[in-house]
Structure formats: structure tokens, C-alpha cells
Amino acid sequence: MSTPAPTPESFLTEAMRQQAIGLESEPATMEVEKGAILRFAEAIGDPNPQWNDEAAARKTRHGGIIAPPTFLRSMRGVSVQLPFDLSFSRRLDGGSDWEYFQPVRPGDRITAVARIADLSERSGRLGLMVFMITVTTYRNQFDEVVATQTNTLIAY
Amino acid sequence: MAEQVYWEDVSEGMELPALVKEPTTRQLVQYAGASGDFYEIHYDKDFAQGNMLDGPILHGALKSAFLGHLVTDWMGPLGTLKRLQCQYRGMDAPGQPITAKGSVTRKYEENGQYLVDCDIRLENPQGQNTTPGTATVMLPRRQG
């Protein structure tokens, strides 16, 4: 399929949208280390004992440390390969929408797959912008979905 | 952390205790390391300015972490976060305080779960809402 040369007025064609929507990433897997949870909690400045203090967390219903809500952002290599070059070098994060189903604990083996849910474009303050919405599904070693994250990436 | 909040104690319109965060460039570097997001607009002033920005800006995901901190502090250890959603409408720079705020918009029972929806946001020192969002939490009941 040939794609027309990008113009400042428009970049995406309907054919490109159809090519991209529904594409999935390769699965990425991460072993959740307790140290990574502690470092993440420290980096976001959240002293909640549920993700900082093993002794205190043992007395909770989870029986130990769990990960703070956005910890799964630390998973690497979860990106969908587009079948064309986006040809915008700059990126902004537009927003995220997390749904949670199970806690994430040290020792969990989490597998993530991202899927392109939508691709669109719009002109704004930063010129022509492409909006890519991906839905990432995170499963644990018991094949339970622990969380999904819907993320909006802006390329401009 | 505050005492445990129970579903019975919550009413629509109730405010969540505000949480002031004071992000610094140092914290953005720390977050880059912890999250693996090393995009230079978050810590390299020259790079940020070359990308049509005034200077380094907070990672969007760090801002959603601040909102997660707000909500999980409020719901207590017996609360369960079901959903956390926000949009990065305005950019926030390190070196200025940012305040996480929220209020209860709906209290309801669904499939045997006792739920509360909240509007949440981050306000910059000018009082602008840079990061509007919503959260849903499940709370324990005082009885049964």
C-alpha cells in the first residue's frame, strides 16, 4: 500500500488508520522485584506503608508490600511497531486511564501486551498533532488481568 | 495517613484532603530512573527548549502517580482503587508546588460493591487545573 507524502495540513490517511488500528505489540515480561517497588515509591514521593514498609504491610489484608497504582509504567519494551514512519520527532503524553483488577506484588511475573485502539490527528497549539491511543493489558503469572492502561500519545 | 474512611462516612460533594507535592528536577531524574522514561524533555533544559517548551516539564505519568497518591491516602488500607484516569491538559514545571485535590461526585452500590467516584485534579500555583481526572474506589462498610 502506498502512502502519500506528509503535508503540513494532514498526515494520516484512512488507509493508514486501518493499517494501524488493532495492531498489537510483542508481549513483554517483567519479574516484579521488591526493590523496584521501593524505588518507584520513593521516586513518586509516596511514603504509604503499603508500598514502603514490609513489616507494616504484613499486617494488611494483602499480607505484604504491593505496588503503588502507576508502578506498571516501569515496564519496558511495551510498544507497538507502526507499519509506517510517524515522521514527527516530538512526543507528549496526553493522558492515561488505569483500571485495576488485582494487586501487583513482589515476585509477580507480569506480561504486558499493547494494542492500538485509535489513531487520529488534529491541529493545535503545537501544529499538526497525531493522537495514538493504546490499550495495554497486564497479566500476572496466573493469567489474571491485573490492570489495563489506556494511554494517549501525542506526536507533533 | 488519615484514619480508615468507611463508605457510610462518605457523602457526595465531600472534599478529599489536599496533597501538596513539590517536584524538583532531581525528582524528575529519580522518576526517569525508576520508570525507565528517560525522554530528555523532563530533565534537559536545552533539549526541552529545542522542543518548543519553556524548560523541563513533569512526566505525565508522574502527575498521575501524584493523583494516585492523593486517592490511596484518602481511601486507606482497606480501600481498593478500581480506576484512575487523568488528562495532561497543561504542562507543569519542576520547582513549583502542585496541589492534588479531589471531591466525591457519586456514592453507589454495584454488584455488591460499595463504590465512590471522585473528580480529581492537580492545581498549579496560579490555581489552574492542569490535570483533570476521575477515580473510582471501593470502600469497606462499617457493618458487614
Side-chain angles (χ1 to χ4, degrees), chain B residues 28-87:
Chain B
L28 302 193
V29 172
Q30 200 175 10
Y31 184 77
S35 70
D37 180 348
F38 288 100
Y39 193 26
E40 291 86 345
I41 60 171
H42 302 301
Y43 52 84
D44 182 330
K45 187 177 177 183
D46 293 341
F47 186 93
Q49 289 176 345
N51 279 269
M52 305 153 84
L53 301 170
D54 295 333
I57 58 168
L58 269 59
H59 298 74
L62 179 59
K63 302 204 293 177
S64 69
F66 290 169
L67 289 170
H69 184 173
L70 169 82
V71 175
T72 52
D73 263 10
W74 176 68
M75 73 184 190
L78 297 178
T80 302
L81 183 62
K82 309 276 285 180
R83 186 171 178 194
L84 180 71
Q85 177 271 122
C86 65
Q87 294 162 20

Side-chain angles (χ1 to χ4, degrees), chain A residues 97-129:
Chain A
D97 184 350
W98 291 93
E99 284 192 78
Y100 300 104
F101 305 99
Q102 294 287 336
V104 173
R105 307 159 189 276
D108 276 354
R109 192 174 165 78
I110 304 292
T111 301
V113 174
R115 175 178 54 83
I116 297 180
D118 194 34
L119 198 62
S120 62
E121 69 180 15
R122 199 184 309 164
S123 281
R125 190 158 52 90
L126 300 168
L128 186 65
M129 304 183 286

Side-chain angles (χ1 to χ4, degrees), chain A residues 42-51 61 69-70 73-74 76 90-100 156, chain B residues 1 21 27 30 34-36 39 50-52 61 65-66 69 72 77-86 88:
Chain A
E42 187 186 14
I44 64 175
D46 185 344
N48 191 322
Q50 290 189 95
W51 24 92
R61 68 200 149 120
T70 61
R73 282 294 292 220
S74 62
R76 312 296 302 277
R90 297 162 178 145
R91 301 279 185 271
L92 279 177
D93 194 345
S96 74
D97 184 350
W98 291 93
E99 284 192 78
Y100 300 104
Y156 65 103
Chain B
M1 243 183 340
K21 305 289 278 192
Q27 184 176 23
Q30 200 175 10
S35 70
Y39 193 26
N51 279 269
M52 305 153 84
F66 290 169
H69 184 173
T72 52
L78 297 178
T80 302
L81 183 62
K82 309 276 285 180
R83 186 171 178 194
L84 180 71
Q85 177 271 122
C86 65
Y88 312 125

